[in-house]
Structure formats: structure tokens, C-alpha cells
Amino acid sequence: MKKVSITLSGREIDRLLREVEDWKNWLQERTTVFLDRVAQEGMEVASAKFSQAVYDGTNDVSVTVESRGNNVRAVVATGGATLFIEFGTGVTYPDDHPEAGELGMKRGEYGQGHGKQHSWGYYGDPGTNGVLKEKKNGGFVVITNGNPANMPMYETVKELQDRLTEIAKEVFS
């Protein structure tokens, strides 16, 4: 912490006011750098976790950073597979995402009851574990048992929490 000593003259008070204003400007600039660093790291970690996720289907998740007003950044994952990768699908894998219930994600309740079955078929990319099965007409269907909850965003938050002090020391030193 910086220590400032002054006498009560007008000139010294003006100098102190300038120093306080300089400190305020420095702090605002460093806060912006800090938020950008944390958001950038969050985007990189989440992107890597989504790209490595076990997922039957096309992993179309894209992770970006959005500025949401003064001093607010959001790491945002978008794509058709985002929630399936984060929270998992089907009844084969455990329902182990710690925030699933409070966010309204209920295992086995996606689409026409298919999520309540132990396996089902779809047309498209087999992804990580999907199995291509030839149909009588020569076409193919992908058989899946669902997907585990990979939890990339949940795990990214935990990693960022562990790194906050280190990043703050780098930025504010």
C-alpha cells in the first residue's frame, strides 16, 4: 500500500488530489486488463475442454468472449451440442453435473422420450463413441448410448477461480 504524507497547504492538497486521480486512472486501466486476461484465459480453457469432449454427434461448439457493459466480460459457448456436452445425454452415464438440477437440465428428458432409452439411433456424425450401423436399404444410422456430462464450462470456472490470485498479481504488480 502506498503511503502519502502531506502538509495542509493548498499546493500539497492539489498534489495529493492529482496523485489520487492518477491512482484511480491506473486502477481502472489495470482492472480492464485483468478482466480481459481472465476472460481470454476462460475462452482458451473452455475451447480446449469442448474440443476434447466425448460426444456422439457433431461437436459444433464455439467459445467467445463478450463484453457486457462496463467491467463485465462473459465467456460464451454456442452451438447445437453445447448443452449436450456440458450436461450429458441419455440414461447410460451418471447424472453428475453439480449444477444440472438448479439449471433445469434433467437427464433423459430430451426429445420424444429418446433420452430415457439406453440406446437410440440418429443420422449424422458418429462423433466419439457413436457406432455406424448399416440399414437394409444400404444407408447408415448412428447408434448411441448418449453422452457423459463433460462439464467444460463448470470446470473452466473452477480453473479460473484457482488462477485468479496469480493473474491479479501479474496484472496489478
Side-chain angles (χ1 to χ4, degrees):
M1 178 62 85
K2 185 174 182 178
K3 182 178 180 181
V4 178
S5 300
I6 64 165
T7 57
L8 294 178
S9 72
R11 189 177 57 202
E12 289 297 313
I13 291 173
D14 287 342
R15 182 183 62 79
L16 178 61
L17 289 173
R18 282 191 306 276
E19 284 189 34
V20 168
E21 188 63 27
D22 289 346
W23 172 254
K24 178 181 155 190
N25 291 336
W26 178 86
L27 189 58
Q28 287 174 335
E29 182 265 330
R30 295 281 79 195
T31 298
T32 299
V33 170
F34 175 72
L35 291 171
D36 290 342
R37 282 274 310 279
V38 171
Q40 181 66 32
E41 181 140 344
M43 182 184 78
E44 290 170 8
V45 170
S47 293
K49 289 184 178 303
F50 272 108
S51 71
Q52 298 165 2
V54 173
Y55 180 66
D56 293 359
T58 302
N59 184 342
D60 63 349
V61 178
S62 172
V63 182
T64 59
V65 171
E66 293 179 4
S67 181
R68 295 189 175 173
N70 193 23
N71 292 334
V72 179
R73 308 293 183 279
V75 176
V76 180
T78 57
T82 304
L83 295 178
F84 299 134
I85 292 173
E86 180 70 27
F87 296 102
T89 62
V91 295
T92 302
Y93 296 97
D95 192 7
D96 57 0
H97 193 295
E99 297 175 342
E102 68 189 64
L103 295 173
M105 301 298 155
K106 297 179 182 170
R107 183 60 59 93
E109 294 193 14
Y110 177 73
Q112 303 173 354
H114 295 293
K116 293 181 179 172
Q117 300 168 217
H118 286 280
S119 68
W120 63 95
Y122 65 92
Y123 299 100
D125 181 2
T128 309
N129 293 322
V131 177
L132 283 174
K133 181 171 174 128
E134 189 170 3
K135 294 175 65 176
K136 290 178 184 176
N137 68 4
F140 287 90
V141 65
V142 180
I143 303 298
T144 182
N145 291 314
N147 299 288
N150 289 272
M151 302 184 268
M153 293 300 274
Y154 178 81
E155 294 295 333
T156 296
V157 168
K158 287 177 28 182
E159 283 190 37
L160 288 177
Q161 288 171 335
D162 291 343
R163 296 253 3 260
L164 278 180
T165 301
E166 178 185 335
I167 294 169
K169 285 179 182 176
E170 290 171 11
V171 170
F172 291 101
S173 294

